[in-house]
Structure formats: C-alpha cells, structure tokens
Amino acid sequence: MTGNQIEALIGMLVTFGLLVLMVLPSVIGIVRDRRIDRQIREAQEGGGTGKETQKSSSRSTVPSTATWYAEGRRSKKLVSS
C-alpha cells in the first residue's frame, strides 16, 4: 500500500467512526423507547412476571422534611394575610 492509500483508509475509518458516534445516541434512545413501550403494553394487558408487579408496603408513608417545611410555610402565609 502506498502512503496515499493508507491516508485515505485512515480518513474513511475516522469518518465512519464519527458517523457511528453521531448515530449511536439516537439508536440507544429508540431501543429504550421501544422497551418502555413494550413494558407499558404488557402492564396494560395484565401480563408479565411477578418481578414487574409493584408490592404494596404495610408501612404508612411519612412526608419528607421538605414537604413538612413547605406545608408549614404555606400555613404561615395564610395566617399572616
């Protein structure tokens, strides 16, 4: 191979590599969307394995500190006005 042929080969490989890097995020997004769509469709049909079903907890939920703080701030505003 001559120097020009090697240079052309390297140029083509770099161009192909850049093309792959630009297309890869789109392909990953499409595959992810299709997987999510399939999961939604399975959930709507009621089919699926036990690991996808959500288990309810017997423990009561406690609001987070941020929720508690926001509720307190709202009530103070209502009282003061």
Side-chain angles (χ1 to χ4, degrees):
M1 287 185 114
T2 65
N4 287 339
Q5 289 174 331
I6 292 174
E7 194 174 313
L9 180 63
I10 291 172
M12 284 192 307
L13 290 176
V14 168
T15 304
F16 182 71
L18 288 173
L19 178 68
V20 168
L21 285 176
M22 291 174 61
V23 171
L24 191 62
S26 297
V27 171
I28 291 172
I30 291 169
V31 169
R32 183 174 175 264
D33 285 346
R34 290 184 68 140
R35 186 190 70 212
I36 291 170
D37 289 343
R38 187 184 70 239
Q39 290 174 346
I40 291 172
R41 195 169 40 251
E42 287 176 358
Q44 286 175 343
E45 292 172 356
T49 61
K51 69 177 184 177
E52 283 120 16
T53 58
Q54 186 176 2
K55 296 179 181 177
S56 63
S57 174
S58 60
R59 203 171 53 142
S60 65
T61 58
V62 178
S64 68
T65 305
T67 305
W68 173 80
Y69 179 75
E71 289 294 327
R73 302 263 305 161
R74 274 191 224 117
S75 63
K76 287 179 186 174
K77 286 182 182 178
L78 292 174
V79 171
S80 65
S81 54

